[in-house]
Amino acid sequence: MALIVATDGAGSGLAAWSAAVGIALVAAMWWGHRRPWRGRLGRLVPFLPVLVAATLTLSVCVPTVPTTRRHPAALSFVTTEHVRLSTGSRVAVYHYPPTGDSPRQHVPLVYLNGGPVRGISLLDHRFLRRLAGQGYDVYAYEQAGGGRSDLLPMNQYSITRSAHELGAFVSKLGKGRADVLGFSSGAVVLTRALADPAIADHLRRAIIAEPGPMDGPTARMGEQKGRPSARDIAPAVTGPRSTRVPRYAVAFGLMRLGLLSPDNGLVGQAEGDNAFTAADLGSDTASAYCARDAHRIPVEDTAENFSFSAAASLRIQQTIKDSPGIAAQLRLSRIPAMLMIAECSSQVRQWQTAVLADNPAIQRTQYMPGVGHHMWNGLGDNDQRAAAVITAFLQDEPAPLPDYPTRADIPAFLRDHK
């Protein structure tokens, strides 16, 4: 393990394995010379532990899934179109034209999902169809490296590139300015787009739903969260886990600890994407739901559609932590925006209130009672309530909920909503 860390997993871990076996053989020979082993078999005794250990640890160096990218299968209910953006990324795009009896909305609505670098879940697709059923022309794309989109070289993933790709995507649509709904890490991309006038010029209205940290200073803020989530009380997630395989348990574990780089030589990006499963997220999924929903958490995705790049996600998160503050630029934003906050949010409250404090163009905040981080989740009337909040803002109609918290409410909100 020490040599894997020292070599950053070079050669699929074989460099570390070979060196470790070599050291062990030398030690076995030294041990054998110091003890009077009798007979040929006796001389082999010191080497038996080396043979056993070498065989067991070799499993860390052997892939058990394909090492070239396997994209999720096509969806039966929507066509996947691949588009090349001006940034060079080739992304998977889904289009839900307006349906239903509601008046047609002529401004396209673009959805940015969370992750980062995760495929769009089936729960999200269902919510997007709901919005299309209310007359919206809905587009969603899986950000580079996620879902059915093409991978990038690891060193090209960054939050800055993600923000530029939002502008490039809206420009590619060729329909003028777009309304954008950004959720979780997608809300971070949207927030950073609002701080860049060249990108913001492509946007008409922005909905920032449950944002993560927008920059380095925000990422270093306190750890206050919302009402209790289902994280520690929900039944254990079932299904196959890559982390039960030694190779991927070592790779993902060391990457999460920061001991292996996202671009390490142990497990390549494509292999890691193929190996990672929904069950590997463990309690992270439960943390997106209120404690009261612990025993009725819906299945967000299928094994066939699930896609998450742990390495690319860590890389983008690191670029956020390393980025300078954008508060000064965000204060110049003039794009009408709305902030959505969940009662049982697993996001740090200060990440959310920082956006509210620094963006003067936020016209309303909607505190969503009875839901966790994943606000549209198919439980009860949660989808209906989230859609009502979104459509009211996009159509500049009265908000279904009180405008809360306002900027003046931030200190009390942080004090009272723990």
Side-chain angles (χ1 to χ4, degrees), residues 77 96 111 118-130 285 288-289 296-302 305 374-379 383:
F77 50 81
Y96 292 101
Y111 176 62
R118 180 174 174 175
I120 299 175
S121 72
L122 297 183
L123 271 185
D124 283 1
H125 276 290
R126 182 168 64 184
F127 185 66
L128 298 180
R129 290 201 299 273
R130 171 183 283 273
T285 298
Y289 295 84
R296 61 168 192 161
I297 293 175
V299 176
E300 295 190 343
D301 227 336
T302 62
N305 186 65
H374 203 157
M375 292 182 285
W376 40 87
N377 52 38
L379 297 177
D383 287 15

Side-chain angles (χ1 to χ4, degrees), residues 265-295:
L266 179 59
V267 173
Q269 181 185 176
E271 181 189 350
D273 291 5
N274 293 338
F276 204 92
T277 69
D280 286 324
L281 291 174
S283 58
D284 283 355
T285 298
S287 70
Y289 295 84
C290 289
R292 67 179 72 103
D293 294 325
H295 295 282

